[in-house]
Amino acid sequence: MTNKQSKYALSNDEIDFNKPFHPAHLTTLYHTPSWQHLSPDQQLAYTQHYGLYLNEQTAFFEEQLAEIILPTLQHSPDTPRELAQSLKIFQQEEREHTRMFRALSNKVNPTKFSLDSEAYYFIKVPPLMLKMMRLISNRPQFFNYWIWLALLQEERSIAISRACINDDEIEPTFQKTHLIHLQDEANHVQWDLQLLDQFWKPSSKWKKSINVFLFHRIMREFFTAPKRAAINVINELIAQFPELEPMRPTLYSDIKKLKTSVSYHSSLYSRTLTPRAFKLFDQLPEFNGLENTLLAYDPA
């Protein structure tokens, strides 16, 4: 085992199921009235299910990035040599992150969480949507909206990792995993910014219009309004606590209402959590109206 590989290896420590896997205030259900009606044990379990879901969300995005987008850009004649070398490191680190988060979930429950790539428990992407995303991802220079997704997700990952590291209540193995993730993310943000300079800013107005439209669509489908995965996390909680079955309709309803909740949106993307992205949005006229998708974005 090399030093680089050992950096991402999980410890042999047992998972402490008496501790949350994720800060409660950064979960979905916390921002609904239903949260206060859950018992402490149910709240704890929900943070654990949510932490496992977040592992999957991270793996889902980083697999698309590492296996499709970054390899294509590395070999593009439009990518400067120094940036191409950085993207090679970027790709390898994203692969390691994906393996690490999959291994963590598998350690918690090997029956439900597979080590195989593109295997998910909570995330269920409609086949047509997944096919469209893969077709688009194979042309990352033209369909360059993904750079904004990467920047937002990398910045958000930094904020989440810091929150986990600084919260003494979080399960230790999850804390350690987020610490390792955090150590790479700062470089990833810098490379995202270089990619924006190289591929987004020189784009024509019509090309930006297409990609801004796709950016809004993908953000609404996967990264803002709670949908399929959020419901699946609730279903997992009810399966663990059958006494919550009478609350199922209310839990579903509360989740759906978060689509228009500024408070909830602020827990995802804000000037505090994603400062570089929001500052750039301020400067680029193509993102006028972004506050209709990212509700916590208040144009400067």
Side-chain angles (χ1 to χ4, degrees):
M1 180 178 289
T2 66
N3 289 335
K4 189 169 185 62
Q5 288 172 325
S6 64
K7 168 184 172 181
Y8 300 99
L10 298 182
S11 71
N12 293 323
D13 297 339
E14 295 293 325
I15 298 292
D16 186 349
F17 287 93
N18 294 312
K19 289 182 173 290
F21 297 168
H22 197 76
H25 72 280
L26 294 178
T27 68
T28 302
L29 207 53
Y30 179 86
H31 296 272
T32 71
S34 292
W35 178 257
Q36 300 302 326
H37 296 288
L38 299 181
S39 70
D41 285 347
Q42 292 163 352
Q43 291 179 349
L44 171 64
Y46 180 78
T47 68
Q48 294 175 345
H49 297 313
Y50 191 91
L52 293 167
Y53 153 66
L54 190 72
N55 287 356
E56 283 200 339
Q57 189 188 68
T58 303
F60 173 77
F61 181 75
E62 295 190 355
E63 279 178 344
Q64 302 298 312
L65 197 60
E67 305 307 329
I68 302 176
I69 294 173
L70 294 179
T72 302
L73 289 179
Q74 283 177 48
H75 300 98
S76 169
D78 297 327
T79 304
R81 180 176 299 178
E82 184 177 348
L83 180 56
Q85 289 300 314
S86 296
L87 295 183
K88 186 175 182 179
I89 300 170
F90 197 171
Q91 178 189 15
Q92 184 57 36
E93 289 180 347
E94 294 291 44
R95 282 176 170 170
E96 295 289 358
H97 295 168
T98 298
R99 294 189 189 107
M100 180 176 65
F101 282 111
R102 284 192 176 279
L104 177 56
S105 294
N106 180 263
K107 183 172 183 174
V108 172
N109 191 325
T111 302
K112 294 179 178 178
F113 300 100
S114 172
L115 295 173
D116 297 336
S117 63
E118 298 191 346
Y120 305 102
Y121 183 73
F122 289 118
I123 294 177
K124 310 294 181 185
V125 183
L128 184 61
M129 176 67 73
L130 186 60
K131 184 176 181 179
M132 183 191 77
M133 288 177 62
R134 285 175 177 166
L135 286 172
I136 289 174
S137 296
N138 279 316
R139 299 186 62 193
Q141 290 163 284
F142 183 86
F143 295 110
N144 53 19
Y145 71 91
W146 66 267
I147 308 174
W148 291 106
L149 299 183
L151 178 58
L152 281 170
Q153 298 314 312
E154 303 285 4
E155 284 205 279
R156 182 171 176 245
S157 291
I158 289 174
I160 288 172
S161 291
R162 285 176 176 163
C164 290
I165 293 164
N166 293 328
D167 187 341
D168 293 338
E169 294 299 314
I170 300 299
E171 200 283 328
T173 306
F174 277 75
Q175 277 193 319
K176 292 173 186 175
T177 303
H178 280 286
L179 176 59
I180 294 168
H181 196 222
L182 179 63
Q183 291 168 350
D184 293 336
E185 292 302 277
N187 280 337
H188 294 187
V189 167
Q190 293 305 314
W191 293 331
D192 291 334
L193 296 174
Q194 290 178 43
L195 287 165
L196 287 172
D197 287 338
Q198 183 67 29
F199 294 107
W200 181 271
K201 292 183 179 179
S203 294
S204 63
K205 186 175 180 180
W206 69 270
K207 182 176 175 181
K208 286 180 179 177
S209 296
I210 292 172
N211 279 282
V212 168
F213 171 81
L214 290 170
F215 171 76
H216 282 274
R217 179 69 183 272
I218 296 297
M219 288 300 298
R220 289 170 181 167
E221 184 66 27
F222 295 107
F223 298 110
T224 54
K227 291 186 178 180
R228 295 168 295 272
I231 293 297
N232 289 336
V233 175
I234 288 176
N235 291 341
E236 192 72 7
L237 180 67
I238 295 174
Q240 184 177 354
F241 296 94
E243 63 270 24
L244 289 174
E245 182 61 43
M247 280 188 66
R248 188 189 295 270
T250 301
L251 291 167
Y252 284 3
S253 176
D254 279 357
I255 286 289
K256 291 178 181 178
K257 290 175 183 176
L258 292 178
K259 179 180 180 179
T260 58
S261 168
V262 176
S263 172
Y264 170 67
H265 277 252
S266 296
S267 75
L268 302 175
Y269 311 102
S270 68
R271 291 194 183 274
T272 300
L273 300 180
T274 52
R276 293 174 183 84
F278 273 37
K279 185 175 181 179
L280 286 168
F281 291 145
D282 293 339
Q283 300 167 6
L284 299 173
E286 58 264 34
F287 285 102
N288 288 345
L290 181 60
E291 61 273 20
N292 295 319
T293 296
L294 302 183
L295 302 190
Y297 174 67
D298 183 15

